[in-house]
Amino acid sequence: MDQSAAIQETLAEGEYCIIAVQGVLCEGDSRQSRLLGLVRYRLERGGQEHALFLYTHRRMAITGDDVSLDQIVPVSQDFTLEEVSPDGEVYILGSDVTVQLNTAKLSLVFQLPFGSHTRMFLQEVASACPGLDPETPNPEFQWLSRYRCTEAEPLPPSWNSALGTWTGCARIGGGGSHLDDLRPNGKGLFVDQSSRGHDKPDNLLTRQTKSKSAMTDMVRSSTIMVSDKAHILSMQKFGLRDTIVKSHLVQKEEDYTYIQNFRFFVGTYNVNGQSPKECLRPWLSHSTQAPDVYCVGFQELDLSKEAFFFHDTPKEEEWFKAVSESLHPNAKYAKVKLIRLVGIMLLLYVKQEHAAYISEVEAETVGTGIMGRMGNKGGVAIRFQFHTTSICVVNSHLAAHTEEYERRNQDYKDICSRMQFCQVDPSLPPLTISKHDVILWLGDLNYRIEELDVEKVKKLIEEKAFQTLHAYDQLKIQVAAKAVFEGFTEGELTFQPTYKYDTGSDEWDTSEKCRAPAWCDRILWKGKNITQLSYQSHMALKTSDHKPVSSEFDIGVRVKNENLYRKTLEEIIRSLDKMENANIPSVSLSKREFCFQDVKYMQLQVESFTIHNGQVPCQFEFINKPDEESYCKQWLNVNPSRGFLLPESSIEIELEVFVNKTMATKLNSGEDKIEDILVLHLDRGKDYFLSVSGNYLPSCFGTPIHTLCYMREPILDLPLETVRELTLMPLWTEDDGSQLENPMEIPKELWMMVDYLYRNAVQQEDLFQQPGLRLEFEKIRDSLDTGMIDTLDILSINNHSVAEALLLFLESLPEPIICYGAYHNCLECSGNYTASKQVISTLPTFHRNVFYYLMAFLQELLKNSEKNHLDQNILASIFGSLLLRNPSSHQKLEMAEKKKAQEFIHQFLCSSL
């Protein structure tokens, strides 16, 4: 996910975040997450200057509220960025990149994730370096003066000569030159003359074929600038001809590869927020043979609120160290990747002798928590190429509670649809989980045993009647129904359930809830040439209320025979030489007109068509129309939007229409319509035009508060022209003597949701913290838009679904409950309840009514806190960001000021209204 948008919201006018990457700041034994943003400023006199902005941040930096500026490093003439190789670590193609940032008075070391996005980031940093031309004026960075503390000394004439560090505010680093031996290469990139022979593109591409010792020595001795390496890595690997060659090679892979088995260890452990207290070797090293590859997953690494709302946690380093010390003693391993989302962590290790054959490593995360943002539930994944076999490892933690199996199914589908990996060739579409030769899926899937009471379950376990018990396992039932994990395989369960135990023992749960035992922790796989050797739990470990699970596999990986590969390659090139390249590519389309009927808010519609290629290989891409920034409107997406076709081949293209909060208001008002023209362009060929049309059903979601108050009838019962007129009605219509009569005090749709929750959910545990079901959201939306008040009760809608719908409704409002114009006054009054009430009194009547209505409801929830486990801090945090939103045209405030916004809401939760 590109987090530059979050940084952009913190910047002043004229400052632009080109690109951002998430990294880890390494200071001694300390590891702290940082978001690095390359910021450009265009000078009034012409030219531009750059600086690296370093932020502390939340795990999912979506808005400016989620980041806090920590440090600024100007990209001056004496700024260097070098790749370093930590002592004692073998180089792995695809492992995290360690870089050192140097100025005269500052030296920082970062670990950046290997992948295409980091390559683009490094290339942009390289391009931003001002160069060594003596006629080029020294950058002055006067624009950074706004980030100084007011008590700091006046800005020096030239920051190059004496860039220091300012305390009490954003630090500015800089200093002397490390570029004395470097010369510009004519492209704004610095090349270290001493290492120019090491990393030319050909050498880079063949690095993975070198021996381990030669490769390690090469990395140890290299001092190549990251800026130059970024340029090399970012060059497109394949032109049109090379793309054709690659496609033919994939088709003929069996002609030059053979299958070789490698031993994979896959392990999963829900650690219940505990720190490691015992050696992990009984779990990780229980076999006599050392695995070639380790895939180790954790869930609930940290259960603290700090870990929930922020990224950093000391538990990551603790468990990483515990795993590294417990790997099989008969082999040496190198860490390939670590990826974490809140408490879900995945580690990938390989034997050092296999490091040269690991490539194309990418890692991604998907949060499936409340409103699709929070990462307390979701999945993390690492994909990589091992020799010529693509492998994807997924670690997931799905929704809890016995009755929530449909929510678990939805979490699984969300992870599958939203987990996408960038490819080495940026012209190719992202890879999904399913697009891999081998998929290993592990984690706390949370499926329970149903229909049996606790005592019956325990009796069957005592009798070791695991097959009988397995018949009642929700995962087995859902897989049989093809609801989840279609095409996956799981080994026979010959071990007792791994949840729930009293911590520190092998005794079943004796708490008040007395949870029924269940096989929550599972390992499944999909692919060819996979043999499961073991599948077991490890009762010796007692740190958590779960037991760890492991499985070992022999996986057949395709290994390249170099002689046969060269022979196949030569044959392909000879056949291409005979091809008449002057031919113009031509395709036929199965369909050119698409109509999307009755599009609804947040409900996906998909239409597909097929591109059939003719006799000439071609590359296709949907391109922008003149004077437009994108190839399609916001509510439309094409998948894939670009690609390559061999002669006589075909590809299916999907057109996806999805309306969210950013588009709904304009569709309601008629300012936008479900109409667009797509331009399909063929490289060296002609353009094809596709027509997209349809109609949007107006919804209360995305409709202004005052508009809804004037809609006494359900929005779908009103003529479209009336909906458009009311949506465009000015916010202060109520005070201008308008002839409109009899508005409601609050929107009826808001009342329906709050009333339902008041009657059914005031004692609901984890309310506003656990997501609902997407299908139920659609029913709720339809009930609100049609005015069918009784439908929610008749359908017995899940409380969590209604709660999430309420949050989505508030988030979708184009003008928040506390209007944008009152935002800064609210921050200033935070802590002064009397002044805060005065600010609320200035809101438009309908907004003021809704605010006090919601506060009264939240106070009712707090009266039942012993049952629902809510407190003022949780509610202030959740509702603070929804009721108090910064104007979209203004910069986002720092995290400290966001806390003021939460404190503002907190006052009303704790005081008499």
Side-chain angles (χ1 to χ4, degrees), residues 21-33:
V21 66
Q22 184 178 305
V24 176
L25 175 61
C26 307
E27 297 178 319
D29 294 331
S30 172
R31 298 290 185 271
Q32 300 178 43
S33 181

Side-chain angles (χ1 to χ4, degrees), residues 699-712:
S699 174
C700 62
F701 289 86
T703 300
I705 285 289
H706 65 288
T707 299
L708 291 172
C709 288
Y710 279 104
M711 290 181 178
R712 299 194 67 84

Side-chain angles (χ1 to χ4, degrees), residues 599-603 634-636 657-674 695-704 707-708 711 715 720 723-724 727-728 777 781 785 808-809 811-815:
V599 175
K600 295 182 178 181
Y601 183 80
M602 286 185 66
Q603 184 166 327
Q634 279 187 295
W635 42 261
L636 180 62
V657 171
F658 186 80
V659 175
N660 62 23
K661 62 182 180 181
T662 63
M663 318 148 199
T665 305
K666 287 189 175 182
L667 287 166
N668 278 351
S669 68
E671 296 173 272
D672 192 10
K673 297 180 179 180
I674 305 294
N695 69 293
Y696 177 68
L697 295 181
S699 174
C700 62
F701 289 86
T703 300
T707 299
L708 291 172
M711 290 181 178
I715 193 169
L720 289 178
V723 173
R724 290 169 185 152
T727 302
L728 292 171
F777 166 77
R781 178 206 57 216
D785 291 341
L808 290 169
F809 174 83
E811 184 187 45
S812 73
L813 294 172
E815 184 82 19

Side-chain angles (χ1 to χ4, degrees), residues 269-272 299-300 397 444 446 448 498-501 503 518 520-521 538 541-548:
Y269 194 7
N270 182 319
V271 296
N272 192 32
Q299 306 83 39
E300 294 191 358
H397 190 190
D444 179 358
N446 249 325
R448 309 301 174 91
T498 54
Y499 174 84
K500 176 180 183 178
Y501 297 87
T503 301
C520 289
D521 311 283
H538 299 270
L541 274 68
K542 307 180 192 299
T543 297
S544 172
D545 57 354
H546 290 247
K547 299 297 182 183

Side-chain angles (χ1 to χ4, degrees), residues 873-889:
N873 293 328
I874 292 175
L875 291 178
S877 176
I878 294 171
F879 283 85
S881 60
L882 295 173
L883 305 184
L884 262 168
R885 302 203 308 259
N886 242 358
S888 57
S889 58

